[in-house]
Amino acid sequence: MSTYDPSGPEPEGGGKPSFGKQPPQQGGGTPEGAPSDPYGTPPPPGGPGAGGPGAYGGTYGGAPGGQGPYGQGPYGQSPYDQPPAGQGPAGYGTPGGGPVPGMPPLGTWPNRILARLIDYLLVQAVAVLLVLPFASLADRSGSAGSFWLACGLWLVYDGVMLGRDGQTLGKKAMKVRVAMLVDGNTPTQSAAWTRAAVFVLPAVICCAVLWWLIDGLFGVFDKPYRQCIHDKAAKTVVVSTV
């Protein structure tokens, strides 16, 4: 039996014996260091980004179309053409349950009308007191002047009060408030003043009683949020506070 002598001549062909090491395969094969698949499972169609199964039961590319679970985007955000759940028009409820999830129910018409009446009497009383001392002897009631002054006072009163917390004194008494339709928050300054201006200015320009009648009836037939014209213009809604 022959033995290998390290100091002797190298075997024919050069190199040292491999002692059982297999020679590299020819013509391809698994590269050295790459994990092998003992079951021969083929890769997902279209490559790793095509949504095929991953090594741990997930997916390489999420849901088909690059979306994540439950209709989310590839990084967890909502689809670009849809607002997040519970926000914006897609999250609106139905009258009686609040226009937006978490918002109180819509204010009832009796409460809204009484709130307007209280505010009107308060503003008109202040206007009469301011105009009466300057009224002519022929018109001691000061009704004409008090109307114009009342419209100016109403514009300022409504805009300031609604921009502060969405409530006038009449609305506080009747447990209703004005809220932004999109999220239920207190009206923005621009929305508050727009709402007040659309309610007052057309009445000053032409036939006050007729304008207020049209404005109010519009809200009666409006569905589903019972918005008057001034609510439509300001994108607001009247809700209950109880």
Side-chain angles (χ1 to χ4, degrees):
M1 180 179 63
S2 62
T3 59
Y4 171 67
D5 184 2
S7 62
E10 295 182 355
E12 185 175 353
K16 295 184 178 181
S18 61
F19 297 102
K21 182 178 181 181
Q22 298 294 329
Q25 297 180 357
Q26 300 296 326
T30 304
E32 185 175 353
S36 60
D37 186 351
Y39 302 102
T41 304
Y56 300 99
T59 58
Y60 291 106
Q67 294 186 350
Y70 309 109
Q72 295 179 344
Y75 301 101
Q77 76 274 23
S78 298
Y80 299 112
D81 59 344
Q82 299 179 9
Q87 299 182 14
Y92 294 160
T94 57
V100 178
M103 185 188 294
L106 296 174
T108 63
W109 277 114
N111 286 354
R112 293 176 64 174
I113 294 173
L114 288 175
R116 280 292 188 187
L117 181 59
I118 292 172
D119 287 330
Y120 172 79
L121 293 177
L122 290 175
V123 173
Q124 190 68 28
V126 173
V128 169
L129 291 176
L130 292 176
V131 172
L132 190 59
F134 305 99
S136 65
L137 295 177
D139 184 16
R140 289 300 299 172
S141 65
S143 57
S146 66
F147 171 77
W148 295 104
L149 182 58
C151 289
L153 290 176
W154 187 287
L155 177 64
V156 175
Y157 168 75
D158 218 32
V160 171
M161 296 291 283
L162 296 183
R164 186 183 65 173
D165 59 5
Q167 287 185 296
T168 59
L169 296 178
K171 288 179 172 57
K172 288 180 185 292
M174 299 312 301
K175 309 297 183 183
V176 293
R177 72 177 179 91
V178 177
M180 295 301 296
L181 178 62
V182 68
D183 55 14
N185 290 332
T186 298
T188 62
Q189 290 296 319
S190 61
W193 286 98
T194 297
R195 192 178 191 276
V198 173
F199 181 77
V200 173
L201 295 183
V204 174
I205 296 173
C206 175
C207 40
V209 176
L210 179 60
W211 165 248
W212 287 329
L213 181 62
I214 294 172
D215 187 26
L217 288 176
F218 190 95
V220 172
F221 296 102
D222 178 70
K223 303 296 181 183
Y225 305 124
R226 306 173 192 165
Q227 292 174 290
C228 297
I229 296 176
H230 54 272
D231 283 312
K232 291 285 188 182
K235 297 180 175 60
T236 56
V237 65
V238 179
V239 296
S240 174
T241 60
V242 293

